[in-house]
Amino acid sequence: MDLVGNDVPQVEKHRFEIPQKERYAKILDYLRRTPVVRDVVVSGGDVANLPIAVLEGFVSALMDIPTSKTSAWRPRA
């Protein structure tokens, strides 16, 4: 789930500073530690562009979080 393209005069794009795999781990860790978050929405074209093994691992880990009751996937593709 990264930004695409380079900066333009109108928009400065901020890049993620940690690797994708570590970001996903941090997202899941946050959700595990924050039981008040029950609904998760993953949106954007990134969902459709992830390798299936990465997506499957993320979804499986998300489904294993007991307090995560609802997840919605809204890809643009």
Side-chain angles (χ1 to χ4, degrees), residues 31 35 37-40 61-71:
L31 293 171
V37 178
R38 297 170 51 94
D39 301 316
V40 177
L62 181 61
M63 292 173 62
D64 287 341
I65 299 172
T67 56
S68 178
K69 300 295 181 195
T70 305
S71 62

Side-chain angles (χ1 to χ4, degrees), residues 20-38:
Q20 184 182 61
K21 188 174 181 179
E22 190 177 334
R23 285 196 315 274
Y24 294 163
K26 286 180 178 280
I27 291 167
L28 293 167
D29 181 55
Y30 173 80
L31 293 171
R32 288 184 194 102
R33 291 182 292 108
T34 314
V36 69
V37 178
R38 297 170 51 94

